[in-house]
Amino acid sequence: MWTEWILRHRRLVMLGWLVLAVIGGALAPRAIDRLSYDFSFPGQPAYEANQRIQETFGGGGDVDPLVVTVTLPEGKTFDDPGVRDELAAAFGRLQRPDWRVASPLDVADADAFVRDDTAFALVYPPLTPGPAPYAAALPQLEGALAGVTVGGAQPLVTGVDPLNESGGGSDRPIIVEIALGAGGALIVLALAFGSLLALVPLLMAAVAITTTFLLVLALTAGLDVSFIVQYLVGLIGLGVAIDYALLLVMRWREERAGGADNEQAVRTAMATAGRAVVFSGVTVAISLLALIVLPLPFLRSVGLGGLLIPLVSVLVAVTLLPALLASVGPRLEWPRRKLPKTESRSWHAIGGFVVRHRWLSAVLATAALVVMALPVFGLRLGSPELAAIGGGDSPAAVGYQNLAEAGAAGALRPIEVVTTDPAAAERLAGVEGVWEVVAPNGPGWTAGDQRLVPVLLTEDPASPAGAATVDRIRAAAPGEVGGTAAQDADAVDAIYGDSWWVLALVVVITFALLARALRSIWLPIKALLLNVVSIAAAYGLTVLIWQDGYGSEALFGTESSGSVTVWVPIAAFSFLFGLSMDYEVFILSRIREGHDAGLSTDEATVHGIAYTGRLVTSAALILVLAFIALSTVPVVDVKIFATTLALGIALDATIVRGILTPALVAAFGRVNWWWPGRRSA
């Protein structure tokens, strides 16, 4: 009935989507401008401490300071005549109303800010809302230091924010990544279709993406939506929308090649492939429940934004696409006039080989995935180490490198302790791993009987040694402990403390839907187990590349991050769990269809792989290319996320769906089709 309505009102359907796409495209920049850059963890101790630091002292808290560094030329020392005076004059320029500064001028022991041939100062200007908290202050600071030299060296401004900005920042237009992904997708589609039909899935993706941005704009009216959502809509939306369109178009071509007229081919494609598309979209949406129900605003917004992607893509695929195919589909077969065979000879051969050697194939494929998953047992969650964002030759990078060589890299991410204890500095100075506890006497460091005390670590707080020091400081501190490093530690508990029941709920609901759709108990169990194994393997390879540094520099031009960003595993699970299930549904639906038509399990398996192998390969390649485009975003967190997604899809479409799925379906034979109250065939 749905398809008949679409066919009768095809022009109205196409006009409606055209209007939505135009409005969505026009308003997309406004939606992006309204996205939030806040990573809040309400209720967590460090987050609440950081909020109070910003309210009471102004700046700091969950935003690391700017750091002004001076590294003397070789042969010069700070004890040389006039050098200390030049340093005092340079750091004196940092003092401004409403700016909180800690420098050799503001403490009793000036050597606390001097290491060998390098001196530095911490600067906390007022914050600017948006992606760059020091967007207003940084030019002022650089202007104040212009032309200033200390011992012949020019002061440099560094810090976490300038380092991120020197790498390109997160404000590069999303259209750049979408264009890269679309270009790769067009090449794959042109090879798959050899005709103007290659443009149809891209057209569906364009409509889905612009419409989703329109819905994201509506979301921003009621809640803060993370800036990460723009990348998900633009690139995951590109891949998912193309995948769903690809499935329907290939089934439509298959029916036409079998002799059906155009409208009947559309009806059959909607009844078979359309059903699989709807189910796949619902599965992806359910997997995102893991993000939506977590009590973290930015992850919830990622889940809600991500939820729109499959739902809009499904709606476009089952409304606009059949209307378009029914209207002009056959004319889009130009220049290829002869309809190609839809069964792939190569995939038929692969399916036959795997079925004949089912147990060997299953054992070898499982062993390969287990080996790839092993590094996950060494997973460390946290922020990327400073070395991962401190490469290059920009002034911010050189400033960081000078501090790191002097053993003062911890100055970029100080721990901040709010205390009323006058002996707090002395107590904290004795904590293992603490290099210096600063007690500035300048303006902005006290409020009533409260004092803000920066604690500098000997190691980067994102390193294992630095993280251990943060824990010791929190245990010893006579007051509230803030700073980004302390908030990282709380983030792990906030995200993963109670997430197990959410993941279990997602698995149970997905099992129920799969069992109902496939009319089988074993097939959904197998699908879920394979999903877990493939995601674990993707995690393992991500740990190997990013945390351990095997290939991060060669692939991304970035040093090892030393850890995996806190939110990446849960977000990657939510998307990979649903996206990987897409391919499983495509394959198993076709195997089920062949079995219902009277084929044996072995025959149905080979039949299903032969008909879906090329589809799954093309669809997965398009998604992988989209994620490769996503990995070009100059933000290390997004690169790690994109790497995990690309690896997960690549492993799933090759080892899991190409080998393990047919091997296990063939191995379990009649067990696949068991359903309560029905005899296995």
Side-chain angles (χ1 to χ4, degrees), residues 349-416:
I350 292 171
F353 178 85
V354 170
V355 167
R356 286 195 302 274
H357 305 282
R358 60 199 70 183
W359 288 112
L360 178 63
S361 299
V363 169
L364 291 178
T366 301
L369 290 173
V370 168
V371 169
M372 286 185 273
L374 288 177
V376 81
F377 291 104
L379 172 67
R380 288 188 61 251
L381 296 174
S383 293
E385 291 185 13
L386 293 168
I389 60 174
D393 56 2
S394 67
V398 172
Y400 158 72
Q401 292 157 16
N402 291 338
L403 281 172
E405 288 175 9
L412 270 68
R413 297 187 67 198
I415 300 297
E416 297 184 294

Side-chain angles (χ1 to χ4, degrees), residues 529-550:
L529 290 175
L530 294 186
N531 251 22
V532 170
V533 173
S534 67
I535 292 173
Y539 285 171
L541 292 179
T542 301
V543 169
L544 204 64
I545 293 170
W546 279 106
Q547 181 176 304
D548 299 336
Y550 292 99

Side-chain angles (χ1 to χ4, degrees), residues 169-170 172 174 177 231 235 629-636 638-639:
S170 58
R172 190 170 79 182
I174 182 61
E177 284 78 25
Y231 302 117
L235 292 161
L630 180 60
S631 73
T632 66
V633 172
V635 179
V636 173
V638 177
K639 289 179 182 291

Side-chain angles (χ1 to χ4, degrees), residues 129 132 137 183 198 219 237 261 281 290 318 336 363 392 424 447 470 512 519 530 565 612 662:
L219 274 182
D261 64 46
V318 299
R336 175 185 280 178
V363 169
V470 173
R519 304 188 305 282
L530 294 186
T565 306
T612 60

Side-chain angles (χ1 to χ4, degrees), residues 519-523 601 664-666 668-674:
R519 304 188 305 282
S520 167
I521 297 297
W522 166 246
L523 288 179
T601 298
L664 292 178
V665 171
F668 284 90
R670 296 176 62 183
V671 175
N672 293 296
W673 319 115
W674 182 80

Side-chain angles (χ1 to χ4, degrees), residues 66-71 87 91 118-121 145 150 153-159 395-396 398-403 411-412:
L66 296 173
V67 182
V68 178
T69 72
V70 175
T71 298
L87 183 66
F91 285 169
T118 298
F120 66 93
L145 296 171
V150 177
Q154 183 178 358
L156 300 174
V157 180
T158 186
V398 172
Y400 158 72
Q401 292 157 16
N402 291 338
L403 281 172
L412 270 68

Side-chain angles (χ1 to χ4, degrees), residues 44-100:
Q44 296 298 314
Y47 171 78
E48 299 300 335
N50 286 335
Q51 293 302 106
R52 274 187 280 277
I53 287 170
Q54 290 191 1
E55 292 168 4
T56 306
F57 299 96
D62 60 1
V63 180
D64 292 306
L66 296 173
V67 182
V68 178
T69 72
V70 175
T71 298
L72 298 177
E74 188 174 354
K76 285 272 190 179
T77 72
F78 287 105
D79 293 326
D80 289 348
V83 174
R84 292 272 180 177
D85 292 337
E86 291 178 354
L87 183 66
F91 285 169
R93 290 171 169 259
L94 307 180
Q95 304 291 343
R96 288 168 179 260
D98 299 327
W99 287 34
R100 190 155 43 89

